[in-house]
Each structure stands twice: as C-alpha cells, then as structure tokens.
Amino acid sequence: MDRGRGGRHAVVVGGSLAGMLAAQVLAGHVDRVTVVERDRFPDGTQSRPGVPQGRHPHVLLEGGQVALESLLPGIQAELRAAGAPRVGMPSDMVAHQNGRWYRRSPSTTHIYTGSRAQLEELVRRRVLANPVISTAEGTDVVGLLGDASRVRGVLLRDRSGDTRGEQRALEADLVVDASGGGTKAPQWLTAIGAEAPHEETIDTGLAYASRVYRGKGGVLDGHTVSYYVYPSPDQVHAGGALPLEDGSHLVIVSGLRGDEPPTDDDEFVTYTNRLPHPLLHRWLEEAEPLSPAFGFRRTANVRRRYDRPGRCPAGFLAVGDALCTFNPIYGQGMAVAAMNAVALRDALTDPRRTPTTLRVQRALLAASRQAWDISAGADRKMPGAMGNAVDSGIADRVADWYLRRVQERSPGDPVVGRVFRSVLTLSAPITALFAPPVARAVLFRPPAPTPAEPPATPEKPEPAA
C-alpha cells in the first residue's frame, strides 16, 4: 500500500465480527482504519437491524475460539466473565442425528452458545479502543472509487432514507468488504469496469425460526444444558435448544422448502412434533416464552471466487460472509470470520511472500475452505438442493461414502466421535478423519451401540489405568 496524504488508509465495509477483526489486523499495518457501518452501534448487547440472523442461535466453534484468542488475547476469559455458556460436547448435550442418539461420553470439545450480540459487543469494545481505528456509523457504501486495475476508496452516503442523497468520496489504499452475505461488491466492481466474481451456490431451501424460552426444569436442567437434532437427508427437520448468557434458552426449529417453520406462537410449538422425539415439544409446553418467534429464510451456501486471476482489482479484499456464506444451521460463520482475520494477519506478515491482493485473497479463501466443504458437502445431499455447485464428481462421491460411515459411527464410538467433532468444529483438518485409528473403525468395524432413548445424564469418565 502506498503512503499518500494523511498516511496509509484502509476502509473496512461492515462493522460486525468479520469487519472488526479485519480492522484489528489492519491497524498493525496502516496509519488509519475506518470502519463504515450502515447501522449505529448499540451501547450494549442489543441486536442490530443489519444482522438479519442476529436473533437466532449462534455458536463459536473451537477453531474460532483459538483464532479469536490469538487476535484478542484474553477474550475467552471476558466471555466467561460475561456469562457466555460453554457447552461440552458430547457430555452436556442430548444430540440426535441419522436416527441415533449420541452417547454422552466425556467432552472432547466445547462451544460457546451465548448471543451473537454479546460476542460482538465484547469484540467491538476491544477493537475500537485502538486509536488507529475510527468508525463512520449510519453510513452506506454505495460504490467504489478507482478502475479495473485498482480500487482507491469508496463512495459514501448517509442513511437518511433518501436514495438520491449527496454522495461523498473516502479515499483509501485498501478496501475490505466485510458487509456480509448481502454484499453489493459484485455490482460495485462492475460499475468501475472490473469483473464480478464467479459465484458457487448450493441452496436446500432450508428455513428456520427461533424463539427465546425460560425453562421450568425438566430435561434441560442440571447435567443437560442443551439439546439438538441435526438435519440429514433422512431427517430433514431439525431443532434444539441452546443456553444463553441470562439462563434462558434459544429454541430453533428448521425445515426445507415448502415446509418452513411458522412464526405463530402456538404453531411454533406444534412444529416441534416433526422432530423424531417429543422431548423438545414436552419441554416447550411447560417453558415460559420470552420473545416472539422470528423466521429466517436466506440459508444458501455462496462462495465468491475472488481468488481467480483477473477477477479483482488491486486494493480490494473480501472477508467473512462477503467472501463465503454458509448455511447458518451449521454454526460456522463466526468461527470463519475469526479464522479469516488470522489468515489476513499471517498473509500480511509472511516474510517469504509479497502480500499482493491476489495472494492475500487466496489465503482468505483457503481459511474458509474446510467450512465450505462441510456445509456444502452436507447440503449437496439434501433433497431438493439447487445451485450450480450441487453436482459432484467421482472423488466427491467416494468421500461421501466414507464420511457417511464416519457419521454412522461417531454417535457410539468415542474415538471416531472425538475426531469427527474436532473436524466439524474446525480445530482439526479433514485429513484427521483418515488417520489409522479412525480408518480402521470406519472401514472394518460395525457401528457401536447407542442409547435407545435420549440419555438423561452424562457418562462417567473411565478410571485411569
């Protein structure tokens, strides 16, 4: 980046998790960072209109926890101090997938299940304490400055409601798009003579609805803090209850195109009868609702291939959902936002390679590749899946066969389950599933027995030898 008037300047479009963490990294390489956010940041942990799925369940997977801690040391301690629930898997959760209940063996990984607004507020407070970083709130980015060879800033307009309002230019050496899955960057790039990225899509038509409840004891009490039925081609309805920081539970139900869950209060509860066991329905009949039900429909997987030569001018990068949007049902978005920021940091500080726009963008895409393989790979097999990335080749079909056997064994086999969870939580590479102990179980042993009913208590750890 060239030093111009006022020093090197980076603009980040979007002030959610991906944008704030990108700003945190860039602050170590430029003189000024401006985060442009269409909303106004709340004083506390309220949801923002610009985060359409903010009222729905969010989890921070282990891979995201590691990445976030490396960017903001001590942030996990702050999360725990703020009361964010830390759920051990599988011991703390009653879980069901592919017709089988998971054994509640000792936990090998943990997820945070507090509200997204809580995590965003903690991150925002830490990031904006840096004097290098400033914000432009209540402001829309409506276009880019520059041409097909280089982006040189953004066009801004105050969010007054007047689409013909006065625009102003904000020059920058680097523009980072962190505006989310609804990004307008492809149109902005086309408008300056550059190419829009090729988009890969897989859409199952999955829709979900969420509502906050406070339980009155029962199954979600004591040693059981969460419940979840995962979707599969044979069980397309999913749902569960995850704990929030105030002691309540956020309940979610989901279905596919044509059988979307309702947001009517009574029908929301009735919809849980589609799950393979009445456990959640019984709990809801006694629990106290604390909010209306909110629906969400935009769940397609979309990957924008800015990494291909000729697709993107210098001085422009995309991160987070603006680069790769996942079906939210798999809970990967916040983790990938943090992992993108780590990839950005590492690419900018790599002493062996000049951090060109293309090289950095490829590093960002690589950081999201495993999450894409998991989310897109699962959705590709769902009935009614549509999109230009649905079709798979022979290699994918062989991998699908192997992974199906992994899934069949993970509920009852602690060895397979441990590795499978580490891959799903983005803390181990997919290649870990092919390690000899896992491969022997997957290829040569039948699935181990699993509980016939939802296990009410965790298993006790085996005594040390």
Side-chain angles (χ1 to χ4, degrees):
M1 291 181 286
D2 299 324
R3 179 178 294 276
R5 187 176 58 186
R8 294 169 298 180
H9 181 212
V11 167
V12 177
V13 184
S16 62
L17 198 63
M20 284 295 170
L21 294 177
Q24 172 75 7
V25 170
L26 293 172
H29 298 271
V30 299
D31 301 287
R32 295 183 298 134
V33 180
T34 303
V35 178
V36 181
E37 171 54 46
R38 66 194 307 271
D39 292 332
R40 293 197 176 276
F41 294 122
D43 293 331
T45 57
Q46 294 81 22
S47 294
R48 294 184 291 113
V51 185
Q53 74 275 40
R55 296 186 178 96
H56 299 281
H58 283 75
V59 299
L60 182 61
L61 305 177
E62 188 171 335
Q65 296 168 32
V66 172
L68 192 60
E69 187 71 22
S70 74
L71 296 163
L72 300 171
I75 191 68
Q76 290 193 73
E78 293 182 30
L79 267 174
R80 291 192 293 271
R86 186 169 178 263
V87 178
M89 297 174 65
S91 64
D92 294 341
M93 177 182 287
V94 173
H96 182 278
Q97 188 175 31
N98 293 322
R100 311 185 79 202
W101 294 102
Y102 276 75
R103 287 178 53 187
R104 295 180 62 184
S105 51
S107 295
T108 59
T109 189
H110 292 78
I111 59 174
Y112 286 101
T113 64
S115 66
R116 172 174 174 151
Q118 180 192 55
L119 179 60
E120 281 199 358
E121 194 274 334
L122 290 173
V123 169
R124 185 167 61 243
R125 188 194 317 159
R126 287 280 299 270
V127 171
L128 296 185
N130 189 329
V132 172
I133 303 171
S134 62
T135 63
E137 300 176 46
T139 304
D140 279 324
V141 173
V142 296
L144 298 172
L145 303 174
D147 52 37
S149 64
R150 185 171 189 86
V151 168
R152 301 186 183 279
V154 293
L155 284 170
L156 304 180
R157 182 172 57 217
D158 291 335
R159 296 200 72 208
S160 61
D162 182 2
T163 58
R164 296 167 298 178
E166 183 178 351
Q167 298 179 5
R168 66 184 189 276
L170 179 62
E171 295 183 354
D173 303 283
L174 176 68
V175 173
V176 176
D177 180 21
S179 60
T183 175
K184 299 295 190 297
Q187 297 94 305
W188 299 339
L189 289 167
T190 302
I192 62 171
E195 293 183 78
H198 171 69
E199 293 187 355
E200 300 169 336
T201 63
I202 299 176
D203 186 3
T204 65
L206 181 140
Y208 56 87
S210 306
R211 194 179 187 193
V212 180
Y213 285 84
R214 190 175 300 281
K216 297 181 179 179
V219 66
L220 292 177
D221 194 16
H223 294 295
T224 302
V225 298
S226 61
Y227 169 74
Y228 213 87
V229 173
Y230 295 94
S232 68
D234 298 323
Q235 170 58 49
V236 298
H237 295 99
L242 298 174
L244 294 174
E245 57 268 19
D246 62 357
S248 63
H249 280 77
L250 188 49
V251 176
I252 180 174
V253 287
S254 69
L256 298 186
R257 189 182 295 108
D259 190 19
E260 295 88 350
T263 54
D264 174 87
D265 293 348
D266 293 333
E267 292 181 6
F268 179 88
V269 177
T270 302
Y271 193 87
T272 60
N273 283 322
R274 289 168 167 78
L275 300 180
H277 193 277
L279 183 150
L280 183 61
H281 183 80
R282 292 171 183 169
W283 185 81
L284 288 179
E285 286 186 319
E286 297 183 356
E288 174 191 4
L290 301 181
S291 78
F294 296 96
F296 191 72
R297 301 290 185 265
R298 284 196 341 231
T299 60
N301 303 279
V302 182
R303 182 161 63 171
R304 299 173 180 88
R305 300 304 302 266
Y306 289 109
D307 59 305
R308 294 179 176 176
R311 284 291 175 184
C312 192
F316 178 88
L317 297 170
V319 299
D321 280 1
L323 173 63
C324 198
T325 306
F326 312 98
N327 186 338
I329 205 75
Y330 302 110
Q332 302 166 314
M334 296 197 304
V336 173
M339 295 168 75
N340 270 190
V342 169
L344 177 63
R345 180 196 66 190
D346 293 348
L348 293 178
T349 56
D350 187 346
R352 300 166 300 170
R353 297 177 177 88
T354 301
T356 63
T357 297
L358 181 59
R359 186 167 287 150
V360 175
Q361 191 65 78
R362 285 175 171 169
L364 292 167
L365 189 78
S368 62
R369 183 165 293 131
Q370 180 164 319
W372 172 267
D373 289 342
I374 292 169
S375 180
D379 278 2
R380 186 181 285 122
K381 298 189 286 289
M382 295 296 284
M386 303 168 62
N388 61 7
V390 168
D391 293 336
S392 57
I394 294 177
D396 288 329
R397 290 193 286 273
V398 172
D400 287 345
W401 174 86
Y402 185 87
L403 291 174
R404 185 167 60 251
R405 294 178 67 89
V406 170
Q407 288 183 328
E408 291 170 350
R409 285 150 182 79
S410 62
D413 187 319
V415 173
V416 177
R418 176 182 59 80
V419 177
F420 189 48
R421 282 186 294 276
S422 67
V423 170
L424 293 180
T425 58
L426 309 179
S427 56
I430 289 180
T431 53
L433 295 173
F434 300 92
V438 179
R440 283 194 295 269
V442 170
L443 296 175
F444 304 118
R445 290 204 297 266
T450 55
E453 292 292 325
T457 57
E459 297 178 10
K460 293 182 179 180
E462 295 182 2

